Amino acid sequence: MLRFPLLLAIKLAILAAPSSSQAGWHFVQNATTGIVPLEAIVVSPTLVLLFDRVENDPLQINGAGAWGAFWNLDTNTETPISLISNTFCASGGFLSNGTMVSVGGNDVENPETEPDTDGRMMIRLLEPCNDADGVGCRVIEDPVRLRLAVTRWYPGSLRIFDGSLMIIGGMHDLTLFYNTDPVNSYEFFPPKDNGQPRPSAFLQRTPRVNLFPRAFALPDGKNATTGIVPLEAIVVSPTLVLLFDRVENDPLQINGAGAWGAFWNLDTNTETPISLISNTFCASGGFLSNGTMVSVGGTDVENPETEPDTDGRMMIRLLEPCNDAEGVGCRVIEDPVRLRLAETRWYPGSLRIFDGSLMIIGGMHELTLFYNTDPVNSYEFFPPKDNGQPRPSAFLQRTPRVNLFPRAFALPDGKVFMIANNQTIIYDVETDTETRMPDIPNGVRVTNPFDGTATLLPLRPPHYVPEVLVCGGSNSSDTLPPEQLDSQDPASDQCSRLVLTAQGIQRGWVVEHMPVGRMMSEMLLMPDGMVLIISGGATGYAAVAGVANAVGNSNCDHPA
């Protein structure tokens, strides 16, 4: 929680750039908060919650001076909020569910002029509130049911490993300088130990200069390893991540051989090997609408003499919802006879479609070292459609040799937007119809082994208009043999957006540029609707040691 000792200034100001007639920079006052924000807490992209002491500030509410307000960062305006307890030198933080918690404060200071209540035992809550102006956002105070165990002024606080708030020390009563009436205990919110404070010898031996004690949550010290290289990591419960590697004699062992699958426990940082029979290297997958995880495809047997794996290219693997925190009883189901794809697929794409099933897209039949020279030009589904027969795709047929891991996004109308190489289509699953969309501009190719990244941008009411963002990849020609490509070839810095309406499609892609080019990067949709683009290389390509000047076994260089 941010704390300003008696504020830097009451007036919010910005440093304005000089015009041609001015000699230098100058400050421009935008507005005033109306209170002195001793505590300023950013609670949303547009709102800052401000707390002062009770001291008859200019900002008024209910006929008296306010000591709390929301400040709107977009409009530079303040909205007073009604509080009942004195927040002077309180502390606080955020729970793991996003609730802001303010604890402690000071006793009544001006009973004759301002209607405040002793804040030293108060717990104040602000649940996540997304209204840009703070309408309906309310700080909850209940002196009877929301109380600390002891009075605390100038306490410390922090969120700990289980998402709760730890409240540390402070003083009981007003003292003018030193902490001569210390609170030598910890407590928690939500409460632990039946609400009883935990005595602290540390706090007992540190007055008189131990107000606002500093505290930091540390890692648990378990510098563990997964035991396998997780090429695929699938979060399957609040505590478990399912990891798949290729079969390559990893350190983690099971049944006397190297494991290539494991559960990783997020709470304990421990791994549990799982028994697999097929090679999951560069498989794909997703979740059905009933929560079942489906993994499809993979590669052929790589080391038949050393590891007991089976050809994974036609394999369908299932993990039904499993709630055990340790993964006990959670099992990946494989049945090479009854759970099979219609075609061999390595590097396929996949997504869940409107009816809750999984659509499986493209891939390659046989091992190739760089380009897709043996493409799978079809779609299929799980559970199967069309009596299990694949659907031929003209789109996949015309997009090799750079169309591995094709990107696909389910649209609000049930259709599917797909990207392979530098081409795009909208596919109607129900009519088996492909409609060609504008190519990605400037010859940029964005699927493996020229990997860019793509996402469907957040859908917003009232019309939920779909818009696709595609970034990175390569401007290189896919007609060049791999030996004429180089790990030092620059990746593309292009980002392109296409609105999937008649008007947006007619307008075409809108092109922007990242600060650096990126190959094999990732996109994350953030809670505020922004897109985070991370990682990748500034030069080179995907795949293994197939181009000139490979860096070890990597075709990619210069981490971005």
Side-chain angles (χ1 to χ4, degrees):
M1 181 174 291
L2 300 179
R3 188 176 290 110
F4 298 88
L6 294 182
L7 191 62
L8 302 177
I10 247 183
K11 299 173 180 177
L12 297 183
I14 60 170
L15 194 61
S19 67
S20 57
S21 61
Q22 295 173 322
W25 297 82
H26 65 286
F27 281 97
V28 176
Q29 178 182 322
N30 283 336
T32 62
T33 60
I35 68 172
V36 179
L38 295 177
E39 298 154 52
I41 310 111
V42 178
V43 295
S44 81
T46 59
L47 288 182
V48 181
L49 175 60
L50 309 178
F51 287 145
D52 189 12
R53 69 189 295 179
V54 181
E55 56 181 353
N56 198 25
D57 281 319
L59 187 64
Q60 298 283 298
I61 189 171
N62 301 327
W67 62 96
F70 286 117
W71 180 260
N72 188 306
L73 295 168
D74 287 342
T75 62
N76 286 336
T77 55
E78 79 287 349
T79 302
I81 57 177
S82 180
L83 299 171
I84 62 173
S85 65
N86 194 341
T87 52
F88 179 32
C89 288
S91 185
F94 288 86
L95 303 182
S96 57
N97 67 357
T99 297
M100 189 285 303
V101 183
S102 167
V103 293
N106 196 17
D107 198 355
V108 177
E109 297 190 82
N110 301 299
E112 297 180 0
T113 60
E114 300 189 0
D116 66 300
T117 300
D118 189 341
R120 291 173 297 166
M121 295 181 73
M122 191 65 76
I123 298 172
R124 308 165 194 89
L125 304 180
L126 175 71
E127 295 181 346
C129 181
N130 293 325
D131 186 88
D133 295 308
V135 175
C137 304
R138 183 172 66 91
V139 175
I140 300 169
E141 297 175 283
D142 187 328
V144 176
R145 292 181 293 179
L146 286 172
R147 294 171 59 85
L148 296 172
V150 294
T151 54
R152 295 181 188 270
W153 189 32
Y154 284 81
S157 58
L158 86 157
R159 185 173 72 202
I160 59 174
F161 69 97
D162 62 2
S164 65
L165 194 74
M166 180 177 180
I167 303 138
I168 306 164
M171 73 170 79
H172 289 291
D173 285 305
L174 174 66
T175 61
L176 294 179
F177 192 72
Y178 288 123
N179 185 2
T180 57
D181 189 12
V183 184
N184 296 324
S185 66
Y186 314 127
E187 60 183 289
F188 303 86
F189 183 81
K192 303 181 188 297
D193 312 315
N194 294 316
Q196 296 303 305
R198 295 183 182 179
S200 167
F202 165 64
L203 293 171
Q204 191 171 12
R205 68 175 179 261
T206 52
R208 301 183 293 176
V209 187
N210 70 349
L211 295 173
F212 285 145
R214 308 305 196 264
F216 306 94
L218 301 178
D220 63 7
K222 295 178 181 177
N223 296 314
T225 63
T226 59
I228 68 173
V229 179
L231 295 177
E232 300 153 50
I234 309 113
V235 178
V236 294
S237 81
T239 58
L240 289 182
V241 181
L242 175 60
L243 309 177
F244 288 144
D245 189 12
R246 70 189 295 179
V247 181
E248 54 181 356
N249 198 23
D250 281 318
L252 186 64
Q253 298 283 298
I254 188 170
N255 302 328
W260 62 95
F263 286 117
W264 179 260
N265 189 305
L266 294 169
D267 286 342
T268 62
N269 285 341
T270 55
E271 79 287 348
T272 302
I274 57 177
S275 180
L276 298 172
I277 63 174
S278 66
N279 196 339
T280 51
F281 178 34
C282 288
S284 185
F287 287 86
L288 303 182
S289 56
N290 68 357
T292 297
M293 189 286 303
V294 183
S295 167
V296 294
T299 196
D300 200 353
V301 177
E302 296 189 84
N303 301 298
E305 297 179 0
T306 59
E307 301 188 1
D309 65 301
T310 301
D311 190 341
R313 292 172 297 164
M314 296 182 74
M315 192 65 77
I316 298 172
R317 309 167 194 89
L318 304 180
L319 175 71
E320 295 182 344
C322 181
N323 294 324
D324 186 88
E326 304 287 340
V328 175
C330 304
R331 184 171 66 91
V332 175
I333 300 168
E334 296 175 282
D335 186 328
V337 176
R338 291 181 294 179
L339 284 173
R340 294 171 59 86
L341 295 172
E343 295 194 66
T344 55
R345 294 181 188 269
W346 190 31
Y347 284 79
S350 58
L351 84 158
R352 185 173 70 205
I353 58 174
F354 69 94
D355 62 3
S357 65
L358 194 74
M359 180 177 177
I360 303 142
I361 306 163
M364 72 169 84
H365 290 292
E366 303 287 347
L367 174 67
T368 61
L369 294 179
F370 190 73
Y371 287 125
N372 185 3
T373 55
D374 189 12
V376 185
N377 297 326
S378 66
Y379 315 127
E380 57 183 290
F381 303 85
F382 183 81
K385 303 181 189 297
D386 313 315
N387 294 315
Q389 297 302 305
R391 296 182 180 181
S393 167
F395 166 63
L396 293 171
Q397 192 171 13
R398 67 173 178 264
T399 51
R401 302 182 294 174
V402 182
N403 68 351
L404 297 172
F405 285 146
R407 309 300 197 268
F409 304 99
L411 302 179
D413 62 2
K415 296 175 184 176
V416 177
F417 181 83
M418 282 189 267
I419 309 167
N421 203 314
N422 67 338
Q423 296 186 30
T424 67
I425 64 165
I426 288 179
Y427 178 64
D428 189 321
V429 176
E430 294 183 291
T431 63
D432 188 19
T433 304
E434 297 178 347
T435 302
R436 189 161 182 172
M437 294 289 108
D439 290 353
I440 295 171
N442 304 314
V444 173
R445 306 174 197 281
V446 296
T447 46
N448 188 280
F450 291 11
D451 272 295
T453 184
T455 189
L456 181 69
L457 295 176
L459 301 170
R460 302 180 185 277
H463 301 299
Y464 302 97
V465 175
E467 183 175 10
V468 175
L469 174 67
V470 183
C471 292
S474 178
N475 295 86
S476 297
S477 169
D478 61 357
T479 63
L480 293 173
E483 58 270 19
Q484 292 184 22
L485 302 173
D486 196 292
S487 68
Q488 305 307 303
D489 292 341
S492 173
D493 65 359
Q494 178 174 290
C495 280
S496 307
R497 289 182 292 114
L498 182 66
V499 177
L500 299 178
T501 61
Q503 183 179 7
I505 293 166
Q506 183 177 13
R507 181 172 63 246
W509 294 90
V510 176
V511 173
E512 301 168 281
H513 293 275
M514 298 181 289
V516 295
R518 291 182 186 269
M519 171 66 57
M520 299 179 67
S521 61
E522 295 287 346
M523 282 185 181
L524 296 175
L525 293 180
M526 305 301 286
D528 61 0
M530 297 185 71
V531 178
L532 175 64
I533 306 172
I534 60 173
S535 193
T539 65
Y541 305 90
V544 178
V547 303
N549 296 311
V551 183
N553 284 326
S554 174
N555 291 329
C556 200
D557 198 6
H558 302 102

